[in-house]
Amino acid sequence: MDALVSSYPAGAHKYVRKLVVDAYSIPRFNSPEYQQRAIAEFRDDAHLACLKVE
Protein backbone atom coordinates (compact mmCIF):
# COMPACT_ATOMS: atom_id res chain seq x y z
CA MET A 1 0.00 0.00 0.00
CA ASP A 2 2.86 2.38 0.76
CA ALA A 3 4.09 2.22 -2.84
CA LEU A 4 0.64 3.14 -4.10
CA VAL A 5 0.16 5.95 -1.59
CA SER A 6 3.60 7.43 -2.25
CA SER A 7 2.85 7.62 -5.98
CA TYR A 8 0.30 10.37 -5.27
CA PRO A 9 1.04 13.96 -4.23
CA ALA A 10 1.73 14.37 -0.50
CA GLY A 11 -1.57 16.16 0.11
CA ALA A 12 -3.51 13.15 -1.16
CA HIS A 13 -1.80 10.45 0.92
CA LYS A 14 -4.39 10.27 3.69
CA TYR A 15 -7.26 10.11 1.18
CA VAL A 16 -5.65 7.39 -0.93
CA ARG A 17 -4.86 5.37 2.18
CA LYS A 18 -8.50 5.69 3.32
CA LEU A 19 -9.78 4.53 -0.08
CA VAL A 20 -7.56 1.45 0.04
CA VAL A 21 -8.64 0.56 3.59
CA ASP A 22 -12.29 1.12 2.68
CA ALA A 23 -11.94 -1.12 -0.39
CA TYR A 24 -10.50 -3.96 1.70
CA SER A 25 -13.30 -3.52 4.25
CA ILE A 26 -16.02 -4.48 1.78
CA PRO A 27 -17.25 -8.08 2.05
CA ARG A 28 -16.53 -10.42 -0.84
CA PHE A 29 -19.43 -11.73 -2.86
CA ASN A 30 -19.66 -14.94 -4.91
CA SER A 31 -22.29 -13.77 -7.33
CA PRO A 32 -21.11 -11.60 -10.25
CA GLU A 33 -24.30 -9.55 -9.83
CA TYR A 34 -23.49 -8.71 -6.20
CA GLN A 35 -19.84 -8.10 -7.08
CA GLN A 36 -20.81 -5.54 -9.70
CA ARG A 37 -23.27 -3.91 -7.31
CA ALA A 38 -20.56 -3.63 -4.62
CA ILE A 39 -18.13 -2.15 -7.16
CA ALA A 40 -20.68 0.43 -8.30
CA GLU A 41 -21.59 1.41 -4.74
CA PHE A 42 -17.93 1.77 -3.75
CA ARG A 43 -17.20 3.83 -6.87
CA ASP A 44 -20.13 6.15 -6.24
CA ASP A 45 -19.33 6.55 -2.52
CA ALA A 46 -15.65 7.26 -3.29
CA HIS A 47 -16.59 9.80 -5.95
CA LEU A 48 -18.94 11.58 -3.59
CA ALA A 49 -16.29 11.64 -0.84
CA CYS A 50 -13.79 13.18 -3.27
CA LEU A 51 -16.30 15.85 -4.25
CA LYS A 52 -16.84 16.75 -0.58
CA VAL A 53 -13.11 17.29 0.15
CA GLU A 54 -12.35 20.93 0.64
mmCIF file of all heavy atoms in Angstrom:
data_model
loop_
_atom_site.group_PDB
_atom_site.id
_atom_site.type_symbol
_atom_site.label_atom_id
_atom_site.label_comp_id
_atom_site.label_asym_id
_atom_site.label_seq_id
_atom_site.Cartn_x
_atom_site.Cartn_y
_atom_site.Cartn_z
ATOM 1 N N MET A 1 0.826 -1.180 0.000
ATOM 2 C CA MET A 1 0.000 0.000 0.000
ATOM 3 C C MET A 1 0.873 1.246 0.000
ATOM 4 O O MET A 1 0.499 2.225 -0.609
ATOM 5 C CB MET A 1 -0.960 0.003 1.188
ATOM 6 C CG MET A 1 -1.740 1.288 1.258
ATOM 7 S SD MET A 1 -3.148 1.453 2.390
ATOM 8 C CE MET A 1 -2.759 0.594 3.810
ATOM 9 N N ASP A 2 2.007 1.192 0.683
ATOM 10 C CA ASP A 2 2.862 2.376 0.763
ATOM 11 C C ASP A 2 3.354 2.819 -0.608
ATOM 12 O O ASP A 2 3.449 4.016 -0.873
ATOM 13 C CB ASP A 2 4.037 2.121 1.696
ATOM 14 C CG ASP A 2 3.598 2.028 3.146
ATOM 15 O OD1 ASP A 2 2.562 2.632 3.501
ATOM 16 O OD2 ASP A 2 4.287 1.347 3.928
ATOM 17 N N ALA A 3 3.642 1.867 -1.494
ATOM 18 C CA ALA A 3 4.088 2.220 -2.843
ATOM 19 C C ALA A 3 2.980 2.948 -3.598
ATOM 20 O O ALA A 3 3.244 3.929 -4.309
ATOM 21 C CB ALA A 3 4.523 0.976 -3.602
ATOM 22 N N LEU A 4 1.773 2.482 -3.444
ATOM 23 C CA LEU A 4 0.639 3.137 -4.101
ATOM 24 C C LEU A 4 0.431 4.536 -3.550
ATOM 25 O O LEU A 4 0.315 5.502 -4.307
ATOM 26 C CB LEU A 4 -0.642 2.316 -3.922
ATOM 27 C CG LEU A 4 -1.930 2.988 -4.418
ATOM 28 C CD1 LEU A 4 -1.928 3.048 -5.929
ATOM 29 C CD2 LEU A 4 -3.133 2.252 -3.914
ATOM 30 N N VAL A 5 0.397 4.650 -2.239
ATOM 31 C CA VAL A 5 0.156 5.947 -1.587
ATOM 32 C C VAL A 5 1.247 6.943 -1.962
ATOM 33 O O VAL A 5 0.968 8.093 -2.284
ATOM 34 C CB VAL A 5 0.062 5.776 -0.057
ATOM 35 C CG1 VAL A 5 0.024 7.122 0.640
ATOM 36 C CG2 VAL A 5 -1.177 4.961 0.309
ATOM 37 N N SER A 6 2.502 6.502 -1.962
ATOM 38 C CA SER A 6 3.599 7.428 -2.246
ATOM 39 C C SER A 6 3.629 7.869 -3.700
ATOM 40 O O SER A 6 4.302 8.845 -4.034
ATOM 41 C CB SER A 6 4.936 6.794 -1.856
ATOM 42 O OG SER A 6 5.201 5.675 -2.664
ATOM 43 N N SER A 7 2.886 7.204 -4.585
ATOM 44 C CA SER A 7 2.851 7.618 -5.983
ATOM 45 C C SER A 7 1.924 8.812 -6.216
ATOM 46 O O SER A 7 1.901 9.365 -7.308
ATOM 47 C CB SER A 7 2.430 6.444 -6.872
ATOM 48 O OG SER A 7 1.074 6.106 -6.658
ATOM 49 N N TYR A 8 1.199 9.214 -5.191
ATOM 50 C CA TYR A 8 0.305 10.368 -5.269
ATOM 51 C C TYR A 8 0.954 11.569 -4.592
ATOM 52 O O TYR A 8 1.830 11.409 -3.752
ATOM 53 C CB TYR A 8 -1.034 10.052 -4.591
ATOM 54 C CG TYR A 8 -1.904 9.147 -5.424
ATOM 55 C CD1 TYR A 8 -1.766 7.769 -5.369
ATOM 56 C CD2 TYR A 8 -2.864 9.670 -6.285
ATOM 57 C CE1 TYR A 8 -2.541 6.933 -6.149
ATOM 58 C CE2 TYR A 8 -3.650 8.851 -7.059
ATOM 59 C CZ TYR A 8 -3.487 7.485 -6.990
ATOM 60 O OH TYR A 8 -4.258 6.670 -7.768
ATOM 61 N N PRO A 9 0.500 12.781 -4.907
ATOM 62 C CA PRO A 9 1.040 13.963 -4.227
ATOM 63 C C PRO A 9 0.841 13.863 -2.710
ATOM 64 O O PRO A 9 -0.122 13.252 -2.236
ATOM 65 C CB PRO A 9 0.214 15.119 -4.800
ATOM 66 C CG PRO A 9 -0.346 14.610 -6.084
ATOM 67 C CD PRO A 9 -0.503 13.126 -5.907
ATOM 68 N N ALA A 10 1.743 14.470 -1.966
ATOM 69 C CA ALA A 10 1.734 14.366 -0.499
ATOM 70 C C ALA A 10 0.388 14.743 0.111
ATOM 71 O O ALA A 10 -0.059 14.131 1.082
ATOM 72 C CB ALA A 10 2.838 15.227 0.091
ATOM 73 N N GLY A 11 -0.291 15.725 -0.432
ATOM 74 C CA GLY A 11 -1.574 16.160 0.114
ATOM 75 C C GLY A 11 -2.688 15.140 -0.049
ATOM 76 O O GLY A 11 -3.719 15.232 0.607
ATOM 77 N N ALA A 12 -2.471 14.151 -0.906
ATOM 78 C CA ALA A 12 -3.508 13.154 -1.163
ATOM 79 C C ALA A 12 -3.288 11.849 -0.403
ATOM 80 O O ALA A 12 -4.153 10.976 -0.415
ATOM 81 C CB ALA A 12 -3.579 12.858 -2.660
ATOM 82 N N HIS A 13 -2.157 11.718 0.273
ATOM 83 C CA HIS A 13 -1.803 10.449 0.922
ATOM 84 C C HIS A 13 -2.872 9.935 1.867
ATOM 85 O O HIS A 13 -3.235 8.755 1.810
ATOM 86 C CB HIS A 13 -0.481 10.572 1.664
ATOM 87 C CG HIS A 13 0.695 10.621 0.741
ATOM 88 N ND1 HIS A 13 1.976 10.588 1.199
ATOM 89 C CD2 HIS A 13 0.794 10.712 -0.613
ATOM 90 C CE1 HIS A 13 2.805 10.650 0.176
ATOM 91 N NE2 HIS A 13 2.110 10.740 -0.937
ATOM 92 N N LYS A 14 -3.414 10.778 2.726
ATOM 93 C CA LYS A 14 -4.395 10.274 3.693
ATOM 94 C C LYS A 14 -5.682 9.838 3.011
ATOM 95 O O LYS A 14 -6.337 8.901 3.449
ATOM 96 C CB LYS A 14 -4.656 11.291 4.799
ATOM 97 C CG LYS A 14 -5.406 12.534 4.388
ATOM 98 C CD LYS A 14 -5.644 13.451 5.590
ATOM 99 C CE LYS A 14 -6.391 14.700 5.204
ATOM 100 N NZ LYS A 14 -6.621 15.560 6.355
ATOM 101 N N TYR A 15 -6.038 10.473 1.885
ATOM 102 C CA TYR A 15 -7.260 10.113 1.178
ATOM 103 C C TYR A 15 -7.084 8.804 0.408
ATOM 104 O O TYR A 15 -7.982 7.959 0.390
ATOM 105 C CB TYR A 15 -7.683 11.234 0.231
ATOM 106 C CG TYR A 15 -7.891 12.539 0.950
ATOM 107 C CD1 TYR A 15 -7.030 13.610 0.752
ATOM 108 C CD2 TYR A 15 -8.931 12.701 1.852
ATOM 109 C CE1 TYR A 15 -7.201 14.801 1.434
ATOM 110 C CE2 TYR A 15 -9.111 13.883 2.544
ATOM 111 C CZ TYR A 15 -8.239 14.933 2.326
ATOM 112 O OH TYR A 15 -8.413 16.107 3.005
ATOM 113 N N VAL A 16 -5.924 8.628 -0.200
ATOM 114 C CA VAL A 16 -5.652 7.393 -0.926
ATOM 115 C C VAL A 16 -5.598 6.222 0.048
ATOM 116 O O VAL A 16 -6.167 5.155 -0.213
ATOM 117 C CB VAL A 16 -4.331 7.505 -1.725
ATOM 118 C CG1 VAL A 16 -3.962 6.169 -2.352
ATOM 119 C CG2 VAL A 16 -4.439 8.588 -2.783
ATOM 120 N N ARG A 17 -4.939 6.420 1.168
ATOM 121 C CA ARG A 17 -4.855 5.370 2.185
ATOM 122 C C ARG A 17 -6.261 4.987 2.664
ATOM 123 O O ARG A 17 -6.595 3.808 2.806
ATOM 124 C CB ARG A 17 -4.003 5.831 3.358
ATOM 125 C CG ARG A 17 -3.789 4.767 4.407
ATOM 126 C CD ARG A 17 -2.816 5.224 5.481
ATOM 127 N NE ARG A 17 -1.478 5.450 4.966
ATOM 128 C CZ ARG A 17 -0.565 4.492 4.765
ATOM 129 N NH1 ARG A 17 -0.864 3.255 5.064
ATOM 130 N NH2 ARG A 17 0.622 4.778 4.283
ATOM 131 N N LYS A 18 -7.136 5.972 2.886
ATOM 132 C CA LYS A 18 -8.503 5.690 3.323
ATOM 133 C C LYS A 18 -9.271 4.907 2.263
ATOM 134 O O LYS A 18 -10.003 3.967 2.587
ATOM 135 C CB LYS A 18 -9.243 6.982 3.667
ATOM 136 C CG LYS A 18 -10.670 6.717 4.162
ATOM 137 C CD LYS A 18 -11.335 7.940 4.686
ATOM 138 C CE LYS A 18 -12.746 7.744 5.161
ATOM 139 N NZ LYS A 18 -13.386 6.461 5.008
ATOM 140 N N LEU A 19 -9.098 5.261 0.993
ATOM 141 C CA LEU A 19 -9.781 4.530 -0.078
ATOM 142 C C LEU A 19 -9.346 3.066 -0.113
ATOM 143 O O LEU A 19 -10.178 2.166 -0.277
ATOM 144 C CB LEU A 19 -9.493 5.177 -1.434
ATOM 145 C CG LEU A 19 -10.292 6.416 -1.775
ATOM 146 C CD1 LEU A 19 -9.777 7.038 -3.069
ATOM 147 C CD2 LEU A 19 -11.770 6.077 -1.922
ATOM 148 N N VAL A 20 -8.057 2.822 0.058
ATOM 149 C CA VAL A 20 -7.555 1.448 0.044
ATOM 150 C C VAL A 20 -8.131 0.660 1.223
ATOM 151 O O VAL A 20 -8.616 -0.461 1.052
ATOM 152 C CB VAL A 20 -6.015 1.420 0.061
ATOM 153 C CG1 VAL A 20 -5.494 0.005 0.250
ATOM 154 C CG2 VAL A 20 -5.460 2.035 -1.228
ATOM 155 N N VAL A 21 -8.099 1.247 2.406
ATOM 156 C CA VAL A 21 -8.636 0.564 3.589
ATOM 157 C C VAL A 21 -10.128 0.311 3.416
ATOM 158 O O VAL A 21 -10.629 -0.784 3.726
ATOM 159 C CB VAL A 21 -8.348 1.380 4.868
ATOM 160 C CG1 VAL A 21 -9.091 0.806 6.061
ATOM 161 C CG2 VAL A 21 -6.850 1.417 5.137
ATOM 162 N N ASP A 22 -10.847 1.299 2.906
ATOM 163 C CA ASP A 22 -12.288 1.122 2.678
ATOM 164 C C ASP A 22 -12.557 -0.003 1.679
ATOM 165 O O ASP A 22 -13.490 -0.793 1.852
ATOM 166 C CB ASP A 22 -12.920 2.419 2.188
ATOM 167 C CG ASP A 22 -13.038 3.477 3.254
ATOM 168 O OD1 ASP A 22 -12.793 3.166 4.448
ATOM 169 O OD2 ASP A 22 -13.345 4.639 2.901
ATOM 170 N N ALA A 23 -11.749 -0.077 0.624
ATOM 171 C CA ALA A 23 -11.941 -1.120 -0.391
ATOM 172 C C ALA A 23 -11.746 -2.509 0.218
ATOM 173 O O ALA A 23 -12.508 -3.433 -0.084
ATOM 174 C CB ALA A 23 -10.976 -0.907 -1.548
ATOM 175 N N TYR A 24 -10.743 -2.656 1.073
ATOM 176 C CA TYR A 24 -10.503 -3.957 1.701
ATOM 177 C C TYR A 24 -11.526 -4.273 2.791
ATOM 178 O O TYR A 24 -11.610 -5.417 3.230
ATOM 179 C CB TYR A 24 -9.087 -4.032 2.278
ATOM 180 C CG TYR A 24 -8.058 -4.398 1.230
ATOM 181 C CD1 TYR A 24 -7.216 -3.441 0.699
ATOM 182 C CD2 TYR A 24 -7.945 -5.707 0.783
ATOM 183 C CE1 TYR A 24 -6.274 -3.773 -0.257
ATOM 184 C CE2 TYR A 24 -7.016 -6.058 -0.176
ATOM 185 C CZ TYR A 24 -6.175 -5.079 -0.692
ATOM 186 O OH TYR A 24 -5.251 -5.413 -1.642
ATOM 187 N N SER A 25 -12.300 -3.300 3.209
ATOM 188 C CA SER A 25 -13.304 -3.518 4.251
ATOM 189 C C SER A 25 -14.627 -4.047 3.699
ATOM 190 O O SER A 25 -15.497 -4.463 4.464
ATOM 191 C CB SER A 25 -13.567 -2.209 5.005
ATOM 192 O OG SER A 25 -12.395 -1.766 5.629
ATOM 193 N N ILE A 26 -14.779 -4.034 2.406
ATOM 194 C CA ILE A 26 -16.025 -4.476 1.784
ATOM 195 C C ILE A 26 -16.050 -5.998 1.720
ATOM 196 O O ILE A 26 -15.054 -6.616 1.325
ATOM 197 C CB ILE A 26 -16.162 -3.885 0.366
ATOM 198 C CG1 ILE A 26 -16.274 -2.362 0.446
ATOM 199 C CG2 ILE A 26 -17.371 -4.463 -0.355
ATOM 200 C CD1 ILE A 26 -16.257 -1.682 -0.892
ATOM 201 N N PRO A 27 -17.163 -6.613 2.104
ATOM 202 C CA PRO A 27 -17.245 -8.078 2.051
ATOM 203 C C PRO A 27 -17.113 -8.582 0.614
ATOM 204 O O PRO A 27 -17.439 -7.875 -0.337
ATOM 205 C CB PRO A 27 -18.644 -8.391 2.579
ATOM 206 C CG PRO A 27 -19.220 -7.135 3.072
ATOM 207 C CD PRO A 27 -18.381 -6.009 2.575
ATOM 208 N N ARG A 28 -16.648 -9.797 0.482
ATOM 209 C CA ARG A 28 -16.529 -10.423 -0.839
ATOM 210 C C ARG A 28 -17.827 -11.137 -1.156
ATOM 211 O O ARG A 28 -18.458 -11.725 -0.284
ATOM 212 C CB ARG A 28 -15.377 -11.407 -0.847
ATOM 213 C CG ARG A 28 -14.058 -10.725 -0.643
ATOM 214 C CD ARG A 28 -12.946 -11.726 -0.665
ATOM 215 N NE ARG A 28 -11.712 -11.041 -0.318
ATOM 216 C CZ ARG A 28 -10.541 -11.595 -0.365
ATOM 217 N NH1 ARG A 28 -10.421 -12.853 -0.728
ATOM 218 N NH2 ARG A 28 -9.469 -10.906 -0.041
ATOM 219 N N PHE A 29 -18.195 -11.090 -2.420
ATOM 220 C CA PHE A 29 -19.432 -11.730 -2.860
ATOM 221 C C PHE A 29 -19.106 -12.788 -3.912
ATOM 222 O O PHE A 29 -18.195 -12.604 -4.716
ATOM 223 C CB PHE A 29 -20.399 -10.703 -3.448
ATOM 224 C CG PHE A 29 -20.858 -9.679 -2.448
ATOM 225 C CD1 PHE A 29 -20.275 -8.424 -2.396
ATOM 226 C CD2 PHE A 29 -21.864 -9.972 -1.543
ATOM 227 C CE1 PHE A 29 -20.690 -7.481 -1.468
ATOM 228 C CE2 PHE A 29 -22.287 -9.039 -0.607
ATOM 229 C CZ PHE A 29 -21.703 -7.786 -0.579
ATOM 230 N N ASN A 30 -19.857 -13.877 -3.931
ATOM 231 C CA ASN A 30 -19.658 -14.940 -4.911
ATOM 232 C C ASN A 30 -20.364 -14.658 -6.225
ATOM 233 O O ASN A 30 -19.900 -15.032 -7.285
ATOM 234 C CB ASN A 30 -20.143 -16.282 -4.358
ATOM 235 C CG ASN A 30 -19.274 -16.763 -3.218
ATOM 236 O OD1 ASN A 30 -18.096 -16.444 -3.170
ATOM 237 N ND2 ASN A 30 -19.845 -17.524 -2.308
ATOM 238 N N SER A 31 -21.484 -14.020 -6.149
ATOM 239 C CA SER A 31 -22.294 -13.769 -7.329
ATOM 240 C C SER A 31 -21.748 -12.574 -8.118
ATOM 241 O O SER A 31 -21.515 -11.500 -7.549
ATOM 242 C CB SER A 31 -23.732 -13.476 -6.895
ATOM 243 O OG SER A 31 -24.449 -12.828 -7.903
ATOM 244 N N PRO A 32 -21.570 -12.731 -9.429
ATOM 245 C CA PRO A 32 -21.114 -11.600 -10.248
ATOM 246 C C PRO A 32 -22.044 -10.385 -10.133
ATOM 247 O O PRO A 32 -21.595 -9.247 -10.168
ATOM 248 C CB PRO A 32 -21.116 -12.156 -11.668
ATOM 249 C CG PRO A 32 -20.932 -13.627 -11.496
ATOM 250 C CD PRO A 32 -21.657 -13.963 -10.205
ATOM 251 N N GLU A 33 -23.332 -10.647 -9.981
ATOM 252 C CA GLU A 33 -24.296 -9.546 -9.834
ATOM 253 C C GLU A 33 -23.999 -8.731 -8.574
ATOM 254 O O GLU A 33 -23.964 -7.500 -8.612
ATOM 255 C CB GLU A 33 -25.714 -10.094 -9.781
ATOM 256 C CG GLU A 33 -26.762 -9.013 -9.581
ATOM 257 C CD GLU A 33 -28.162 -9.593 -9.402
ATOM 258 O OE1 GLU A 33 -28.357 -10.795 -9.654
ATOM 259 O OE2 GLU A 33 -29.053 -8.813 -9.004
ATOM 260 N N TYR A 34 -23.787 -9.412 -7.454
ATOM 261 C CA TYR A 34 -23.489 -8.715 -6.204
ATOM 262 C C TYR A 34 -22.113 -8.069 -6.241
ATOM 263 O O TYR A 34 -21.900 -7.003 -5.668
ATOM 264 C CB TYR A 34 -23.607 -9.655 -5.013
ATOM 265 C CG TYR A 34 -25.038 -9.993 -4.668
ATOM 266 C CD1 TYR A 34 -25.481 -11.299 -4.689
ATOM 267 C CD2 TYR A 34 -25.950 -8.990 -4.335
ATOM 268 C CE1 TYR A 34 -26.799 -11.611 -4.384
ATOM 269 C CE2 TYR A 34 -27.264 -9.288 -4.025
ATOM 270 C CZ TYR A 34 -27.688 -10.603 -4.056
ATOM 271 O OH TYR A 34 -28.989 -10.895 -3.756
ATOM 272 N N GLN A 35 -21.166 -8.694 -6.929
ATOM 273 C CA GLN A 35 -19.838 -8.104 -7.080
ATOM 274 C C GLN A 35 -19.928 -6.774 -7.822
ATOM 275 O O GLN A 35 -19.346 -5.777 -7.396
ATOM 276 C CB GLN A 35 -18.905 -9.057 -7.831
ATOM 277 C CG GLN A 35 -18.529 -10.276 -7.047
ATOM 278 C CD GLN A 35 -17.785 -11.301 -7.875
ATOM 279 O OE1 GLN A 35 -17.714 -11.201 -9.100
ATOM 280 N NE2 GLN A 35 -17.237 -12.305 -7.206
ATOM 281 N N GLN A 36 -20.667 -6.772 -8.917
ATOM 282 C CA GLN A 36 -20.813 -5.543 -9.700
ATOM 283 C C GLN A 36 -21.552 -4.465 -8.918
ATOM 284 O O GLN A 36 -21.226 -3.282 -9.023
ATOM 285 C CB GLN A 36 -21.513 -5.833 -11.028
ATOM 286 C CG GLN A 36 -20.665 -6.644 -11.993
ATOM 287 C CD GLN A 36 -19.329 -5.978 -12.270
ATOM 288 O OE1 GLN A 36 -19.245 -4.791 -12.565
ATOM 289 N NE2 GLN A 36 -18.259 -6.741 -12.145
ATOM 290 N N ARG A 37 -22.529 -4.875 -8.136
ATOM 291 C CA ARG A 37 -23.267 -3.915 -7.309
ATOM 292 C C ARG A 37 -22.339 -3.299 -6.258
ATOM 293 O O ARG A 37 -22.367 -2.087 -6.036
ATOM 294 C CB ARG A 37 -24.455 -4.587 -6.634
ATOM 295 C CG ARG A 37 -25.329 -3.591 -5.877
ATOM 296 C CD ARG A 37 -26.516 -4.242 -5.223
ATOM 297 N NE ARG A 37 -27.337 -4.910 -6.211
ATOM 298 C CZ ARG A 37 -28.344 -5.719 -5.915
ATOM 299 N NH1 ARG A 37 -28.645 -5.978 -4.659
ATOM 300 N NH2 ARG A 37 -29.056 -6.280 -6.858
ATOM 301 N N ALA A 38 -21.508 -4.127 -5.624
ATOM 302 C CA ALA A 38 -20.565 -3.628 -4.622
ATOM 303 C C ALA A 38 -19.548 -2.681 -5.259
ATOM 304 O O ALA A 38 -19.196 -1.649 -4.678
ATOM 305 C CB ALA A 38 -19.849 -4.792 -3.937
ATOM 306 N N ILE A 39 -19.078 -3.011 -6.453
ATOM 307 C CA ILE A 39 -18.131 -2.146 -7.163
ATOM 308 C C ILE A 39 -18.771 -0.797 -7.458
ATOM 309 O O ILE A 39 -18.170 0.257 -7.230
ATOM 310 C CB ILE A 39 -17.657 -2.822 -8.464
ATOM 311 C CG1 ILE A 39 -16.762 -4.011 -8.136
ATOM 312 C CG2 ILE A 39 -16.941 -1.821 -9.370
ATOM 313 C CD1 ILE A 39 -16.469 -4.916 -9.327
ATOM 314 N N ALA A 40 -19.990 -0.812 -7.962
ATOM 315 C CA ALA A 40 -20.677 0.433 -8.304
ATOM 316 C C ALA A 40 -20.932 1.284 -7.061
ATOM 317 O O ALA A 40 -20.742 2.511 -7.097
ATOM 318 C CB ALA A 40 -21.997 0.128 -9.016
ATOM 319 N N GLU A 41 -21.330 0.653 -5.973
ATOM 320 C CA GLU A 41 -21.591 1.407 -4.742
ATOM 321 C C GLU A 41 -20.301 2.012 -4.197
ATOM 322 O O GLU A 41 -20.281 3.172 -3.773
ATOM 323 C CB GLU A 41 -22.240 0.517 -3.688
ATOM 324 C CG GLU A 41 -23.679 0.186 -4.003
ATOM 325 C CD GLU A 41 -24.302 -0.768 -2.995
ATOM 326 O OE1 GLU A 41 -23.684 -1.040 -1.946
ATOM 327 O OE2 GLU A 41 -25.423 -1.239 -3.261
ATOM 328 N N PHE A 42 -19.209 1.247 -4.226
ATOM 329 C CA PHE A 42 -17.930 1.771 -3.749
ATOM 330 C C PHE A 42 -17.479 2.937 -4.622
ATOM 331 O O PHE A 42 -17.045 3.969 -4.119
ATOM 332 C CB PHE A 42 -16.857 0.678 -3.746
ATOM 333 C CG PHE A 42 -15.531 1.178 -3.260
ATOM 334 C CD1 PHE A 42 -15.295 1.304 -1.903
ATOM 335 C CD2 PHE A 42 -14.537 1.554 -4.146
ATOM 336 C CE1 PHE A 42 -14.081 1.796 -1.437
ATOM 337 C CE2 PHE A 42 -13.330 2.036 -3.695
ATOM 338 C CZ PHE A 42 -13.104 2.154 -2.338
ATOM 339 N N ARG A 43 -17.579 2.772 -5.934
ATOM 340 C CA ARG A 43 -17.197 3.831 -6.873
ATOM 341 C C ARG A 43 -17.992 5.107 -6.608
ATOM 342 O O ARG A 43 -17.419 6.204 -6.511
ATOM 343 C CB ARG A 43 -17.440 3.353 -8.308
ATOM 344 C CG ARG A 43 -17.066 4.393 -9.365
ATOM 345 C CD ARG A 43 -17.718 4.101 -10.704
ATOM 346 N NE ARG A 43 -19.165 4.107 -10.549
ATOM 347 C CZ ARG A 43 -19.973 3.204 -11.094
ATOM 348 N NH1 ARG A 43 -19.503 2.201 -11.800
ATOM 349 N NH2 ARG A 43 -21.276 3.287 -10.919
ATOM 350 N N ASP A 44 -19.286 4.968 -6.454
ATOM 351 C CA ASP A 44 -20.127 6.146 -6.235
ATOM 352 C C ASP A 44 -19.837 6.807 -4.887
ATOM 353 O O ASP A 44 -19.769 8.033 -4.800
ATOM 354 C CB ASP A 44 -21.605 5.762 -6.330
ATOM 355 C CG ASP A 44 -22.005 5.333 -7.734
ATOM 356 O OD1 ASP A 44 -21.236 5.586 -8.683
ATOM 357 O OD2 ASP A 44 -23.083 4.721 -7.877
ATOM 358 N N ASP A 45 -19.652 6.001 -3.848
ATOM 359 C CA ASP A 45 -19.327 6.548 -2.517
ATOM 360 C C ASP A 45 -17.973 7.252 -2.532
ATOM 361 O O ASP A 45 -17.816 8.325 -1.944
ATOM 362 C CB ASP A 45 -19.336 5.452 -1.457
ATOM 363 C CG ASP A 45 -20.725 4.911 -1.172
ATOM 364 O OD1 ASP A 45 -21.724 5.560 -1.573
ATOM 365 O OD2 ASP A 45 -20.813 3.835 -0.551
ATOM 366 N N ALA A 46 -16.983 6.649 -3.211
ATOM 367 C CA ALA A 46 -15.652 7.255 -3.291
ATOM 368 C C ALA A 46 -15.700 8.560 -4.074
ATOM 369 O O ALA A 46 -15.073 9.551 -3.690
ATOM 370 C CB ALA A 46 -14.669 6.288 -3.935
ATOM 371 N N HIS A 47 -16.451 8.582 -5.154
ATOM 372 C CA HIS A 47 -16.586 9.801 -5.952
ATOM 373 C C HIS A 47 -17.224 10.918 -5.135
ATOM 374 O O HIS A 47 -16.754 12.059 -5.138
ATOM 375 C CB HIS A 47 -17.409 9.508 -7.204
ATOM 376 C CG HIS A 47 -17.493 10.654 -8.145
ATOM 377 N ND1 HIS A 47 -18.540 10.829 -8.997
ATOM 378 C CD2 HIS A 47 -16.666 11.704 -8.379
ATOM 379 C CE1 HIS A 47 -18.370 11.941 -9.700
ATOM 380 N NE2 HIS A 47 -17.232 12.473 -9.343
ATOM 381 N N LEU A 48 -18.272 10.597 -4.420
ATOM 382 C CA LEU A 48 -18.941 11.584 -3.586
ATOM 383 C C LEU A 48 -18.000 12.106 -2.496
ATOM 384 O O LEU A 48 -17.949 13.311 -2.231
ATOM 385 C CB LEU A 48 -20.202 11.001 -2.961
ATOM 386 C CG LEU A 48 -21.057 11.938 -2.128
ATOM 387 C CD1 LEU A 48 -21.510 13.138 -2.933
ATOM 388 C CD2 LEU A 48 -22.251 11.202 -1.557
ATOM 389 N N ALA A 49 -17.242 11.215 -1.877
ATOM 390 C CA ALA A 49 -16.289 11.635 -0.837
ATOM 391 C C ALA A 49 -15.242 12.579 -1.418
ATOM 392 O O ALA A 49 -14.869 13.568 -0.782
ATOM 393 C CB ALA A 49 -15.624 10.408 -0.229
ATOM 394 N N CYS A 50 -14.778 12.296 -2.617
ATOM 395 C CA CYS A 50 -13.793 13.183 -3.271
ATOM 396 C C CYS A 50 -14.397 14.564 -3.549
ATOM 397 O O CYS A 50 -13.713 15.578 -3.411
ATOM 398 C CB CYS A 50 -13.292 12.564 -4.564
ATOM 399 S SG CYS A 50 -12.218 11.145 -4.326
ATOM 400 N N LEU A 51 -15.635 14.581 -3.947
ATOM 401 C CA LEU A 51 -16.296 15.852 -4.249
ATOM 402 C C LEU A 51 -16.484 16.697 -2.991
ATOM 403 O O LEU A 51 -16.505 17.924 -3.060
ATOM 404 C CB LEU A 51 -17.645 15.625 -4.920
ATOM 405 C CG LEU A 51 -17.591 15.029 -6.319
ATOM 406 C CD1 LEU A 51 -19.008 14.695 -6.795
ATOM 407 C CD2 LEU A 51 -16.898 15.968 -7.290
ATOM 408 N N LYS A 52 -16.615 16.034 -1.842
ATOM 409 C CA LYS A 52 -16.838 16.749 -0.583
ATOM 410 C C LYS A 52 -15.560 17.287 0.050
ATOM 411 O O LYS A 52 -15.637 18.105 0.963
ATOM 412 C CB LYS A 52 -17.537 15.827 0.424
ATOM 413 C CG LYS A 52 -18.975 15.536 0.065
ATOM 414 C CD LYS A 52 -19.587 14.638 1.100
ATOM 415 C CE LYS A 52 -21.060 14.395 0.836
ATOM 416 N NZ LYS A 52 -21.673 13.562 1.887
ATOM 417 N N VAL A 53 -14.379 16.840 -0.420
ATOM 418 C CA VAL A 53 -13.109 17.291 0.152
ATOM 419 C C VAL A 53 -12.919 18.770 -0.163
ATOM 420 O O VAL A 53 -13.088 19.195 -1.296
ATOM 421 C CB VAL A 53 -11.936 16.462 -0.400
ATOM 422 C CG1 VAL A 53 -10.609 17.066 0.055
ATOM 423 C CG2 VAL A 53 -12.038 15.024 0.058
ATOM 424 N N GLU A 54 -12.554 19.485 0.844
ATOM 425 C CA GLU A 54 -12.346 20.928 0.643
ATOM 426 C C GLU A 54 -10.892 21.248 0.614
ATOM 427 O O GLU A 54 -10.062 20.705 1.227
ATOM 428 C CB GLU A 54 -13.018 21.707 1.757
ATOM 429 C CG GLU A 54 -14.515 21.556 1.694
ATOM 430 C CD GLU A 54 -15.200 22.401 2.758
ATOM 431 O OE1 GLU A 54 -14.597 23.319 3.303
ATOM 432 O OE2 GLU A 54 -16.366 22.114 3.027
#
